Amino acid sequence: MQRNIIITGGAGFIGSHVVRLFVNKYADYNIINVDKLTYAGNLENLTDIEDMPNYKFVRADICDFDAMLHLMQDEKVDGIIHLAAESHVDRSIKDPFTFARTNVLGTLSLLQAAKLYWESLTEKYEGKRFYHISTDEVYGALQMTNPEGIEPPFTTTASSSQHHLAYGTDFFYEDTKYMPHSPYSASKASSDHFVRAFHDTYGMPTIVTNCSNNYGPYQSPEKLIPLFINNIRHRKPLPVYGKGENVRDWLYVEDHARAIDIIFHKGTIAETYNIGGFNEWKNIDIIQVVINTVDRILGRKEGEDLNLITYVTDRLGHDARYAIDSTKLQKELGWEPSLQFEEGIEKTVRWYLDHQEWLDNVTSGDYLKYYEKMYG
Ligand code: NAD
Ligand code: DAU
């Protein structure tokens, strides 16, 4: 079936994996990647698919309501997968306004444009879908608890049939109360509420998903894993916030993209799905795995670079622990993470070590020249 789908934020980390998957998998879809190309948007992430006939790039700001409305009308858009956002917690602490603008007003601008366009059609919302990608950070932070006598991380089954490593006995479920702490998560929470409000008020066919920390190729080196791989390679200090005790739940980015594909096509309208791999790690432990992996691949003595670890002032309001329960997605839609963490980290470290030029272009800002070369 032919479909015209806007993917916002397709030049970013997760968005580029989603664009690649859809362009390669659905030859009869028109995939329109709408991205402003902020510091986080990099068209070099998509060189392998940029010439495909079912792919188009449009440089635009999602906050530009008129541009969004005209684009939806011109392209007869029937599906929107919305990933564009300001995504880095540390930046949100320094500059919350940009986060409110893009994440809240940008989402609202897309919702209102889709509403006006779809309501102007005879079939209205039939066959349409507005899919909003969000984060587990909207749920706040979990405690680290230790069942008596068991040293964390311990294995638990929680409500899932799958065993997972955990640092506590509670998890984020789809009905967990929203309690965002950082300006980033507050802006994402607000955007989630607007999306649900457009369903509840106007009947717009929306879906929201909340995912845990992603890792893998094409992630900006401002984020923990790529930053540390690059620093280890160049033997620069590794700034560990606080004591490195905070826990994050990690998912390989291609598994997130596969979940988005399944949910876009088979998810139930107005539902929320949590996405996560049942894979909790303390920052300091994951950092040690990354150091050992980089050292081994570079032929250094394993663990030789552990001395690069530098404890620095903690992030303000640093959330202690995130842990997603994705049982609903697994049971209702049959999605499962495909990669063991060890395989995922090995692939990721090798990718960054093999793509030093990509990293250098991102850190120097030269990646923007690629856009100028391609699109003038
Ligand atoms: P990213 O920062 O790598 O990419 C964001 C993209 O959005 C960039 O290409 C940027 O140019 C674009 N963008 C920013 N402002 C825009 C605007 N005003 N108009 C148009 N485009 C704009 O982000 P990411 O890590 O790929 O995250 C993508 C989405 O997934 C975000 O909504 C984020 O909240 C969510 N998410 C991320 C993670 C994670 O671990 N990275 C986990 C869960 C959810
Ligand atoms: O949980 C999902 C979220 O994961 C997404 O919604 C965000 O968009 C994404 O950026 C990510 O947020 P985090 O803040 O968890 O990711 P980050 O890579 O910035 O940090 C991971 C952990 O590592 C966190 O506890 C802070 C810590 N950290 C991070 C950096 C950059 C350090 O100790 N040192 C660092 O230099």
Side-chain angles (χ1 to χ4, degrees), residues 134-142 171-181 185-186 188-189 192 196 208-212 272-275 319 321-325 328:
S134 192
T135 169
D136 59 359
E137 299 199 11
V138 297
Y139 297 124
L142 295 165
F171 298 89
F172 295 140
Y173 302 98
E174 283 80 0
D175 58 1
T176 298
K177 199 172 123 193
Y178 271 33
M179 211 181 284
H181 296 132
S185 53
K188 291 296 290 187
D192 296 7
R196 294 193 180 105
V208 176
T209 57
N210 298 85
C211 188
S212 60
T272 296
Y273 298 89
N274 277 351
I275 308 174
D319 285 337
R321 170 177 170 248
Y322 302 146
I324 271 276
D325 186 298
K328 175 176 169 180

Side-chain angles (χ1 to χ4, degrees), residues 87-88 135-137 184 213 224 239 241 248 283 315 318:
S87 69
H88 192 39
T135 169
D136 59 359
E137 299 199 11
Y184 162 68
N213 281 64
L224 181 79
Y241 298 164
R248 295 290 180 268
N283 289 343
R315 175 183 277 175
H318 199 170

Side-chain angles (χ1 to χ4, degrees), residues 7 13 68 111 131 136 150 152 154 168 176 193 225 230 252 280 309 312 317 327 337 354:
I7 299 180
F13 167 45
M68 291 303 108
L111 283 164
Y131 177 4
D136 59 359
I150 309 177
F154 45 85
T176 298
H193 290 318
I225 292 184
N230 200 31
Y252 191 67
E280 291 176 54
I309 290 176
V312 299
T327 306
D354 288 346

Side-chain angles (χ1 to χ4, degrees), residues 6-9 62 80-85 102-104 106-108 110-111 130-134 188 191 195:
I6 283 182
I7 299 180
T8 70
I62 56 165
I80 296 165
I81 304 179
H82 174 36
L83 295 108
T102 289
N103 299 0
V104 185
T107 300
L108 181 55
L110 281 173
L111 283 164
F130 189 107
Y131 177 4
H132 175 62
I133 309 298
S134 192
K188 291 296 290 187
S191 65
V195 173

Side-chain angles (χ1 to χ4, degrees), residues 23-37:
V23 166
N24 284 328
K25 188 167 169 185
Y26 301 106
D28 45 356
Y29 288 6
N30 292 318
I31 300 299
I32 305 135
N33 173 9
V34 176
D35 200 296
K36 183 182 174 184
L37 297 183

